[in-house]
């Protein structure tokens, strides 16, 4: 008897896709297997494959370079989720797996926990690369999961996750206007390297990821530079865009042979022409007045637009009560954006009255509070950032997790930046909790912009905190400006000042075809509303000599290289003007020390003095920290590093250490001389003796007591308090302990006897039955000085 098997809607959807994919491969297969090798100009090969893993996903691809392999799956719901989404609900998850590197996580549970900062930054790279190419009408929940299958010691996985995501979407039935290609560009000895290895990247002055689509259109830029010249940066972008075309061609071959047919896209509900005409009639004049009123600030302009939206919706809905108010709202928002953009093209002037290349008003201040090691306030228009610098010992360096260390080649960082964006920065209420992805991304970008100007051999760990107090565009670049001044205020000898600026873009295409750019306007120093209404947010940080960080968030399916190059030129010109303004406040690192600055020094001691310095179980070091706040860390056998939070604390600590190590003057002992030693303790292995009153007891081993072999010192009639003659053979070069012998004095030779008392050392020439031998010291005792 046959039983009917009932499948869920999702299972039926998956089975249908598997069947369609199978028949599609049989009909159109031009490749023998679902994989393709892409050879870059450098000879390095990228292998892109599909069809082996995760076949229930809408699309899956594995990209391998060397022994590094990344799998990306793409899944989208068949229908849009409920509600009127005005954006694409896209989620990208990037997970590093310890097993991929042959490691076990070091946390308590020994398993992967929440996403690390490295994983979040990599996920943002993938998201910003693929999001612009989704159709405007696509609103289904979509998720991409980037899974690290294996990682070697040479090839980085993050850029390959972008290529795997591109292939997974291209091969799936999810509507997407790809494919795209991504490469990492390095610069070693003025030579551009595509997809450099970890070792090459450590020597590279540039680490730039370029994502591009067909026809050399740039979709995303992300990178850092060690003050890279603008011309070198332009060459790197051009080279990266050209190399990306090879990856795109490979994915297209794979898509042609094994790709699934794209699912039908359900068009979003659109307002009728008469509704759009009514919205246009009732709002155009008012919107133009709002965007032309240069007296408006962020809140007054937003409030005026909101009032216009409410009035327009009420009037149109009263005339057409059967129309969904949500459609009217969507129509108004779309029309408002068009008016804003058209006015920029018509008047070459922006909504705050600035010309296209003008900067907002900038004001700066430093040394705002005395207890702070360094502080600065940077105000640009209505964007305000308060930056503080805290200096601490190297023990406070940021330790990275093992997988991130393997990926980046960095185990710890002695400079790191923390970016905070509280709700009040935009006049809102909200929960202040764990750091979000946006804060992590902006903080990482600003950190990249400042790392090249900080000296590598700085004696302190530097923590720079950026608090965004007001935000109306480009708070991350304001963080670079404020952070640069705060570092100088903290006395850190930075190479030169660094600044950052955001560049915007408004485009116009022929018949809404994003492949044929008709006109465009580049906007310097982006406003928040220009970012929302525009097509690009390119952030560039650097010094007068070159670029230190770049990030381009492009909202259209790619922009031509000529637009990218002009934007970089505008950013360079604006950066110079900003640095000129910053120099009026502080132009170089502060040389006059603040009372609150920490200080550091070195303490040199002999190895045998370490036990007295540390104390039992390190109690002396802990007491020093609790009483003075001073940290003492050992650098090598002879050197300790002293870190004090202030000059006064350093003086107090040195006084403490002097008293701790204070001993009576140690007499100078002559090598080969004979001294009178006092027995203070008998042991099974020998006797503990002292040569002078303040000397820590040292062991004279049984083997050095007599020429005969003895099992215990009592066999020779030795008692506590008795005195014996010993010969001194210096200190052991490894342990630093004294080397003494009584056995060598039991020969016929004569020697010089030295007597040591409490006041001073005196010598007399004498002979005795225990005079020293001139033979070399053989089998001398490895004494245990200081033990009893």
């Amino acid at each position: 008897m046959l039983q009917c098997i009932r499948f869920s809607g999702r299972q039926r959807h998956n089975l249908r896709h598997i069947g369609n994919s199978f028949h599609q491969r049989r009909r159109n297969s031009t490749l023998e297997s679902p994989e393709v090798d892409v050879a870059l100009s450098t000879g390095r090969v990228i292998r892109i494959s599909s069809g082996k893993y995760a076949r229930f996903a809408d699309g899956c691809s594995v990209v391998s370079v060397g022994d590094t392999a990344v799998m990306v799956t793409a899944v989208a719901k068949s229908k849009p989720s409920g509600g009127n989404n005005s954006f694409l609900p896209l989620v990208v998850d990037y997970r590093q797996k310890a097993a991929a590197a042959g490691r076990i996580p070091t946390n308590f549970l020994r398993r992967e926990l929440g996403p690390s900062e490295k994983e979040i930054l990599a996920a943002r790279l993938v998201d910003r690369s693929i999001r612009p190419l989704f159709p405007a009408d696509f609103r289904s929940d979509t998720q991409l999961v980037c899974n690290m299958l294996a990682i070697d010691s040479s090839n980085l996985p993050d850029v390959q996750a972008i290529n795997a995501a591109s292939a997974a979407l291209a091969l799936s039935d999810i509507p997407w206007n790809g494919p795209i290609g991504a490469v990492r560009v390095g610069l070693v000895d003025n030579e551009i390297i595509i997809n450099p290895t970890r070792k090459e990247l450590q020597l590279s002055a540039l680490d730039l990821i370029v994502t591009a689509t067909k026809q050399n259109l740039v979709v995303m830029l992300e990178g850092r530079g060690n003050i890279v010249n603008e011309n070198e940066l332009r060459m790197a972008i051009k080279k990266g865009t050209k190399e990306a075309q090879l990856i795109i061609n490979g994915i297209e071959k794979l898509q042609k042979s094994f790709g699934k047919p794209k699912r039908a896209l359900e068009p979003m509900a659109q307002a009728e022409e008469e509704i759009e005409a009514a919205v246009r009639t009732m709002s155009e004049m008012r919107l133009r007045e709002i965007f032309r009123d240069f007296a408006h600030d962020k809140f007054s302009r937003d409030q005026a637009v909101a009032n216009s939206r409410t009035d327009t919706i009420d009037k149109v809905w009263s005339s057409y009560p059967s129309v969904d108010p949500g459609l009217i709202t969507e129509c108004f928002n779309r029309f408002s954006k068009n008016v804003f953009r058209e006015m920029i093209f018509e008047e070459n002037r922006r909504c705050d009255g600035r010309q296209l290349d003008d900067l907002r008003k900038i004001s700066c201040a430093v040394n705002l509070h005395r207890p702070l090691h360094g502080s600065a306030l940077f105000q640009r228009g209505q964007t305000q950032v308060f930056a503080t610098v805290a200096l601490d010992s190297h023990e406070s360096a940021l330790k990275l997790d093992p997988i991130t260390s393997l990926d980046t080649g960095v185990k710890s960082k002695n400079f790191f930046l923390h970016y905070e964006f509280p709700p009040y920065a935009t006049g809102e209420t909200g929960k202040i909790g764990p750091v979000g992805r946006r804060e992590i991304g902006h903080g990482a970008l600003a950190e990249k912009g400042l790392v090249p100007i900080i000296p590598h051999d700085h004696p302190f760990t530097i923590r720079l905190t950026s608090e965004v107090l007001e935000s109306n565009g480009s708070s991350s670049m304001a963080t670079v400006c404020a952070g640069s001044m705060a570092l100088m205020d903290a006395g850190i000898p930075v190479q030169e000042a660094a600044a950052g600026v955001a560049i915007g873009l408004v485009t116009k295409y022929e018949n809404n075809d994003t492949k044929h750019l008709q006109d465009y306007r580049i906007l310097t120093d982006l406003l928040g509303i220009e970012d929302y209404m525009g097509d690009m947010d390119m952030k560039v940080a650097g010094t007068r000599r070159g670029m230190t960080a770049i990030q381009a968030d492009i909202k259209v399916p790619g922009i031509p290289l000529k637009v990218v190059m002009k934007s970089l030129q505008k950013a360079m010109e604006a950066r110079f003007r900003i640095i000129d303004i910053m120099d009026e406040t502080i132009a170089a690192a502060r040389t006059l020390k603040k009372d609150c600055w920490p200080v550091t020094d070195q303490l040199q001691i002999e190895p045998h003095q370490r036990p007295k310095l540390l104390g039992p179980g390190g109690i002396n070091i802990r007491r020093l920290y609790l009483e003075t706040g001073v940290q003492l860390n050992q650098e090598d056998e002879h050197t300790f590093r002293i870190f004090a939070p202030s000059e006064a604390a350093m003086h107090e600590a040195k006084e403490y250490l002097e008293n701790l190590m204070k001993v009576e003057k140690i007499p100078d002992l002559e090598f080969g001389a004979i001294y009178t030693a006092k027995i203070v303790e008998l042991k099974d292995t020998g006797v503990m003796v002292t040569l002078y009153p303040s000397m820590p007891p040292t062991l004279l081993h049984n083997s050095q007591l007599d020429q005969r072999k003895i099992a215990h010192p009592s066999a020779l009639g030795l008692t506590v308090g008795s005195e014996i003659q010993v010969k001194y053979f210096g200190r052991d070069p490894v342990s630093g302990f004294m080397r003494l012998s009584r056995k060598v004095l039991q020969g016929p030779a004569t020697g010089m006897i030295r007597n040591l008392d409490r006041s001073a050392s005196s010598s007399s020439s004498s002979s005795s039955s225990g005079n020293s031998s001139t033979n070399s010291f053989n089998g001398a005792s490895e004494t245990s000085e200081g033990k009893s």
Side-chain angles (χ1 to χ4, degrees):
M1 181 176 179
L2 296 177
Q3 292 182 345
C4 179
I5 301 176
R6 190 179 300 274
F7 292 98
S8 66
R10 184 67 203 172
Q11 288 173 325
R12 292 195 299 271
H13 176 74
N14 289 332
L15 291 173
R16 184 172 63 253
H17 281 188
I18 292 174
N20 291 341
S21 177
F22 174 75
H23 292 297
Q24 180 72 16
R25 288 196 298 268
R26 292 193 62 183
R27 288 194 304 267
N28 300 328
S29 178
T30 58
L31 297 176
E32 294 182 358
S33 61
E35 67 178 26
V36 63
D37 290 343
V38 178
L40 302 178
S41 61
T42 57
R44 291 168 181 165
V45 177
I46 300 175
R47 171 162 293 182
I48 306 172
S49 62
S50 181
K52 185 176 180 180
Y53 302 128
R55 284 171 288 187
F56 278 176
D58 292 330
C60 176
S61 175
V62 177
V63 171
S64 303
V65 179
D67 290 328
T68 295
V70 181
M71 180 184 74
V72 176
T73 58
V75 177
K77 289 185 176 180
S78 56
K79 293 184 179 180
S81 57
N84 185 19
N85 288 332
S86 59
F87 62 93
L88 171 64
L90 172 65
V91 176
V92 177
D93 291 309
Y94 180 96
R95 299 310 306 269
Q96 293 177 330
K97 299 297 179 67
R103 303 290 181 87
I104 297 176
T106 56
N107 57 64
F108 178 77
L109 298 176
R110 297 298 187 270
R111 66 180 302 167
E112 286 79 12
L113 301 178
S116 65
E117 179 175 328
K118 174 65 178 178
E119 291 172 311
I120 291 174
L121 295 176
R124 284 171 57 88
L125 278 177
V126 178
D127 186 302
R128 290 168 34 230
S129 296
I130 65 174
R131 186 181 289 270
L133 282 88
F134 281 96
D137 292 339
F138 184 67
R139 292 290 184 269
S140 298
D141 287 343
T142 306
Q143 183 181 29
L144 272 74
V145 179
C146 307
N147 190 350
M148 189 188 303
L149 300 180
I151 180 172
D152 60 19
S153 60
S154 298
N155 300 287
L156 301 172
D158 52 356
V159 68
Q160 305 311 328
I162 302 175
N163 294 322
S166 172
L169 287 170
L171 294 170
S172 73
D173 65 338
I174 301 173
W176 190 64
N177 298 321
I180 58 173
V183 295
R184 173 177 261 107
V185 185
L187 184 65
V188 179
D189 296 332
N190 297 323
E191 181 181 353
I192 293 176
I193 300 177
I194 301 299
N195 284 356
T197 62
R198 283 186 179 85
K199 186 175 181 180
E200 291 172 338
L201 202 58
Q202 292 175 357
L203 304 174
S204 176
L206 178 67
D207 179 8
L208 176 68
I209 295 178
V210 180
T211 302
T213 185
K214 291 187 293 186
Q215 299 177 342
N216 292 325
L217 299 179
V218 177
V219 177
M220 194 278 300
L221 296 173
E222 173 86 22
R224 60 164 181 84
N226 189 16
I227 312 181
V228 175
N229 184 273
E230 308 291 337
N231 293 329
E232 294 175 331
L233 177 61
R234 294 186 179 96
M235 291 172 56
I237 294 175
K238 291 180 180 178
K239 182 68 173 177
T241 304
K242 182 179 179 181
E243 293 291 321
Q245 305 304 307
L246 301 175
I247 299 174
I248 294 170
N249 295 336
I251 296 176
E252 285 183 334
K253 290 180 181 178
L254 204 61
Q255 180 184 16
K256 183 178 180 181
S257 300
F258 299 97
K260 301 175 184 177
K262 297 298 181 183
R263 70 181 70 165
L265 186 63
E266 296 184 8
M268 296 183 61
Q270 298 287 340
E272 298 179 358
E273 292 185 4
E274 55 182 344
I275 302 299
E276 294 184 355
V279 170
R280 184 184 308 109
T281 302
M282 296 180 183
S283 62
E284 183 172 8
M285 291 293 294
R286 190 169 178 181
L287 286 173
R288 287 184 174 271
E289 290 177 2
I290 294 171
F291 296 144
R292 197 176 282 121
D293 187 353
F294 305 144
H296 277 308
D297 61 10
K298 172 184 173 63
F299 294 104
S300 63
R301 185 182 299 108
D302 291 347
Q303 187 61 44
V305 173
N307 293 338
S308 176
R309 181 188 298 109
T310 302
D311 293 343
T312 301
I313 293 172
D314 291 343
K315 292 177 181 178
V316 174
W317 193 36
S318 63
S319 302
Y320 302 93
S322 60
V323 179
D324 183 5
L327 290 178
I328 304 176
T329 302
E330 185 68 23
C331 183
F332 176 88
N333 293 339
R334 187 167 55 251
F335 180 70
S336 174
K337 182 176 181 178
N338 290 336
V339 171
F340 183 88
R341 295 162 65 94
E342 287 175 1
M343 290 183 64
I344 294 177
F345 283 104
E346 293 170 0
E347 303 178 6
N348 285 325
R349 185 177 292 271
R350 299 150 76 171
C351 62
D352 58 355
R354 288 184 293 155
Q355 300 293 331
L356 301 182
D357 296 338
D358 288 347
L359 298 172
R360 288 174 287 176
K361 183 180 178 181
I362 296 175
S363 60
C364 311
V366 295
N367 197 22
L368 302 173
H369 301 279
R370 288 188 61 187
L372 300 178
H373 295 162
S375 60
L377 185 71
F378 182 82
Q379 181 95 39
R380 179 161 52 194
Q382 288 184 294
T383 296
Q384 185 185 72
V385 171
F386 176 59
T388 59
V389 170
L391 305 176
D392 211 328
S393 68
H394 278 300
E395 297 300 311
S396 300
L398 180 64
K399 307 297 189 298
L400 302 180
D401 62 272
I403 304 302
T404 301
S405 299
L406 179 65
D407 192 10
T408 60
V410 179
K411 294 183 178 180
S412 63
K413 298 196 299 184
N414 68 339
F415 169 72
F416 47 93
L417 186 150
H418 289 156
Y419 171 96
E420 301 176 5
F421 194 97
Y424 61 77
T426 53
E428 300 173 351
T429 60
K431 183 178 179 181
I432 299 179
V435 182
R437 294 192 171 207
R438 180 182 181 277
E439 285 81 358
I440 290 177
H442 284 203
L445 176 63
E447 182 178 305
K448 290 177 184 176
L450 292 172
V451 166
I453 69 172
I454 296 176
H456 298 292
D457 56 348
H458 197 269
F460 301 121
T461 294
I462 307 168
R463 183 193 184 218
L464 176 60
T465 303
S466 167
E467 301 176 52
V468 181
L469 307 182
E470 301 173 8
S471 178
N472 188 15
S474 189
S475 57
S476 61
M477 293 297 96
T479 294
V480 175
C481 301
S484 175
M485 293 189 295
L487 291 169
M488 286 191 260
D489 184 56
I492 297 173
V494 298
Q495 297 183 22
E496 52 185 317
V501 66
I503 304 297
L505 178 69
V506 180
T507 59
K508 185 182 294 185
Y509 292 93
E510 297 179 4
N511 300 323
N512 293 325
D513 183 3
T514 55
K515 295 181 181 179
H516 299 89
L517 184 62
Q518 182 179 4
D519 199 3
Y520 63 92
R521 295 290 186 273
I522 296 175
L523 311 177
T524 300
D525 188 11
L526 204 60
L527 273 178
I529 190 174
E530 293 170 340
D531 183 12
Y532 176 74
M533 300 285 196
D535 298 325
M536 183 184 73
D537 180 10
M538 177 186 285
K539 303 180 180 73
V540 184
T543 67
R544 294 186 189 275
R545 293 189 293 124
M547 182 275 299
T548 57
I550 183 172
Q551 183 183 93
D553 186 4
I554 299 170
K555 302 173 186 177
V556 294
I559 58 176
L561 281 171
K562 66 174 183 178
V563 179
V564 175
M565 301 309 162
K566 288 185 178 180
S567 300
L568 291 175
Q569 180 67 26
K570 299 291 185 183
M572 181 181 67
E573 296 171 356
R575 190 170 71 241
F576 290 171
R577 285 181 281 162
I578 295 170
I579 293 176
D580 289 339
I581 298 173
M582 292 166 52
D583 286 347
E584 296 175 3
T585 302
I586 184 169
R590 184 183 298 276
T591 56
L592 183 62
K593 290 187 176 181
K594 297 182 181 181
D595 295 336
C596 64
W597 279 358
V599 291
T600 183
D601 201 352
Q602 286 186 338
L603 175 66
Q604 299 285 343
I605 65 170
E606 294 299 326
H608 68 277
Q609 295 178 304
R610 284 200 304 266
K612 187 169 185 179
L613 173 66
L614 301 178
I619 190 173
N620 293 338
I621 303 300
R622 292 197 297 271
R623 183 182 293 119
L624 174 67
Y625 179 74
L626 294 174
E627 292 180 359
T628 65
V630 174
Q631 300 179 36
L632 196 65
N633 300 302
Q634 186 171 351
E635 293 185 343
D636 55 42
E637 291 185 356
H638 300 275
T639 308
F640 281 78
R641 172 68 61 177
I642 308 174
F643 172 84
S646 65
E647 193 74 41
M650 177 64 80
H651 291 317
E652 186 179 355
K654 286 187 175 181
E655 183 178 353
Y656 173 87
L657 293 173
E658 287 177 2
N659 293 331
L660 183 65
M661 302 300 294
K662 193 173 184 179
V663 294
E664 296 181 14
K665 178 176 176 57
I666 300 176
D668 294 330
L669 303 179
E670 297 182 18
F671 187 91
I674 302 169
Y675 295 96
T676 300
K678 183 177 182 181
I679 299 175
V680 297
E681 183 181 357
L682 296 181
K683 289 178 168 291
D684 292 340
T685 57
V687 294
M688 303 295 295
V689 300
T690 58
L691 302 184
Y692 48 89
S694 62
M695 172 183 166
T698 187
L699 178 67
L700 180 57
H701 197 267
N702 288 337
S703 63
Q704 299 300 322
L705 283 174
D706 198 86
Q707 292 185 349
R708 296 168 296 175
K709 184 177 181 180
I710 61 172
H712 194 274
S714 61
L716 299 177
L718 300 178
T719 60
V720 175
S722 60
E723 296 183 346
I724 59 175
Q725 299 291 316
V726 296
K727 191 171 184 177
Y728 175 69
F729 289 94
R731 292 185 178 272
D732 186 272
V734 177
S735 64
F737 297 148
M738 282 187 180
R739 298 188 297 186
L740 302 174
S741 178
R742 179 174 177 267
K743 176 177 68 174
V744 299
L745 300 180
Q746 298 173 348
T750 60
M752 186 69 66
I753 299 177
R754 302 296 186 189
N755 294 324
L756 299 175
D757 55 29
R758 296 180 182 275
S759 59
S761 61
S762 61
S763 62
S764 63
S765 180
S766 176
S767 63
S768 68
S769 61
N771 288 340
S772 69
S773 170
T774 58
N775 296 331
S776 61
F777 182 80
N778 296 318
S781 167
E782 292 184 10
T783 57
S784 178
E785 183 178 350
K787 297 181 181 180
S788 63

